[in-house]
Amino acid sequence: MKCILAITTIAALAAGACNKDITVKSQTDINTVNACQKFQGDVVIDGVSGIGALSLDNVQQITGDLVIQNMYDLQTVSLGQLTSANSLKVINNTNVYKVDVPKLTSVSDFQVIINPNLKELTYKNISSVDNFQIITSYISQLGAFTADEVANIEVLSNLQLVTLDFSSVKTTSGYINIANNGKNANVTFSALTQVGGNASFADATTLDISKLSSIEDDFSLYTNSFKNLTVGQLSDAKKSITLSGNKFTAISFPKLTEVGSSLNIANNTNFKSISKTTFPVLDTVPGSIIIDGSFDNITFPSLKEVDGQVSLKGTGRLSCNDAEEALSAASNIDCSLETVADDEDNSDDDEDDGDSSSSKKSSKTSGASSHTTTAAFIGSAVALAAAFF
């Protein structure tokens, strides 16, 4: 077998097969690539039928892209010696259940996308990577990830994956998007300080972003199940902050002084009080503020400037008068709060007098009619809804 491989390698080198792009059409083409320890070019394996096991165990380096996609007969991929590639893309292979790249350490783009039956993804130490994406798989664990600087990280719709450990990552030049993974997903970015794009975290049971200090784009948390959110070091959020559909009972941004765009807090059913410790030093919101939920208290002790509209909606003990006083830095407030008195919490046995709660609506505007205020509120609500999808 070794003699055959040696002869094939000599033939491949003599023909220059290791120094040009190749689109694989047969097992013979795969053998040609596998004869090269260093392949200088792109290897594209796209839609080739009849191949159940793909092995490129002799290749150590690919200077171009390795693309394995639309291989509907494929079940296993073995890249036993591969240490580096410009990119590794394993995309839309519906029956593949195992991808083995145990020695891979350096890759620009690592994309494992839409492989719904993939259960085993083996890598041991990715220390250099730009774009890291694992989307729609059945894997239950990640390999070791030791890169400290990354462009983008996206881990979505891996329903068996419950441990997402990116504790080595200190900065990203682009985005982070984590959502719809295992039911009890634990997400760790314990060393992360700066995000160069947007950061979105959803459907997590725990989230460690304790050192995060700066975000260049939108910061969003959706449908997370942990109770306490503390973003202790964040002082600079260049665009919007959105907290929606979470199980939070307490929120704290102790160092946040300015939100670059809008602040949106909506549908967090257990969060009832924006207290003096929630945003203690927040002084400027150049965009809008949308608050929707069941609130008993709203306090912004340092708020001095709100340039956009404030929209308040929901049911709780908080009245519009109190809310408007707390947000007196804003000149354009649309309030539609249904205020419930303390003694109305258990009023099922009381005689119905036709007024079981008091509803208060008010509008505080400057240079705008009530129609303008309503339109702005609808625009803000549409913008918030668009952010969900």
Side-chain angles (χ1 to χ4, degrees), residues 80 151 157 219 277-278 294 362 370 386:
S157 300
F219 179 42
T277 62
T278 305
S294 179
S362 66
S370 60

Side-chain angles (χ1 to χ4, degrees), residues 303-322:
L303 194 61
K304 297 177 182 177
E305 180 182 352
V306 181
D307 295 335
Q309 184 183 30
V310 174
S311 297
L312 302 166
K313 184 180 180 181
T315 302
R317 294 185 176 90
L318 184 67
S319 69
C320 282
N321 288 337
D322 290 339

Side-chain angles (χ1 to χ4, degrees), residues 148-169:
D148 59 359
E149 295 182 2
V150 186
N152 305 304
I153 295 176
E154 190 166 33
V155 184
L156 305 174
S157 300
N158 306 285
L159 299 182
Q160 298 299 308
L161 184 61
V162 296
T163 300
L164 290 80
D165 185 356
F166 295 97
S167 55
S168 66
V169 178

Side-chain angles (χ1 to χ4, degrees), residues 65-69 87-91 93 109-112:
D65 302 335
L66 173 56
V67 180
I68 304 167
Q69 65 184 16
S87 72
L88 173 61
K89 300 179 180 181
V90 183
I91 301 173
N93 305 287
D109 293 323
F110 185 87
Q111 299 179 337
V112 180

Side-chain angles (χ1 to χ4, degrees), residues 117 144 228 259:
N117 289 302
N228 297 318
V259 176

Side-chain angles (χ1 to χ4, degrees), residues 102-168:
K103 295 186 177 181
L104 184 67
T105 60
S106 178
V107 59
S108 178
D109 293 323
F110 185 87
Q111 299 179 337
V112 180
I113 300 174
I114 312 178
N115 303 281
N117 289 302
L118 179 62
K119 295 181 179 180
E120 298 180 46
L121 175 61
T122 306
Y123 59 89
K124 291 185 178 179
N125 184 10
I126 294 182
S127 57
S128 177
V129 62
D130 289 333
N131 301 301
F132 184 87
Q133 295 175 290
I134 300 179
I135 301 172
T136 310
S137 79
Y138 206 70
I139 62 172
S140 58
Q141 64 181 12
L142 299 177
F145 191 96
T146 59
D148 59 359
E149 295 182 2
V150 186
N152 305 304
I153 295 176
E154 190 166 33
V155 184
L156 305 174
S157 300
N158 306 285
L159 299 182
Q160 298 299 308
L161 184 61
V162 296
T163 300
L164 290 80
D165 185 356
F166 295 97
S167 55
S168 66

Side-chain angles (χ1 to χ4, degrees), residues 27 35 37 53 59 61 65 91 274 351:
Q27 182 63 50
Q37 289 187 341
V59 183
Q61 182 181 1
D65 302 335
I91 301 173
I274 300 177
E351 182 177 349

Side-chain angles (χ1 to χ4, degrees), residues 204-276:
T205 296
T206 65
L207 173 63
D208 186 347
I209 49 173
S210 55
K211 294 184 179 178
L212 182 61
S213 60
S214 177
I215 300 176
E216 295 295 320
D217 211 311
D218 297 329
F219 179 42
S220 307
L221 289 102
Y222 299 111
T223 56
N224 294 286
S225 60
F226 53 91
K227 293 183 178 181
N228 297 318
L229 172 66
T230 299
V231 191
Q233 302 300 316
L234 183 64
S235 60
D236 190 11
K238 294 295 179 64
K239 292 191 178 179
S240 68
I241 293 179
T242 299
L243 312 174
S244 179
N246 303 284
K247 299 294 185 181
F248 303 150
T249 58
I251 295 171
S252 180
F253 287 76
K255 294 187 177 181
L256 184 67
T257 58
E258 182 175 352
V259 176
S261 180
S262 61
L263 175 63
N264 310 302
I265 303 173
N267 302 318
N268 306 288
T269 54
N270 297 324
F271 181 60
K272 298 182 180 298
S273 175
I274 300 177
S275 70
K276 62 182 180 180

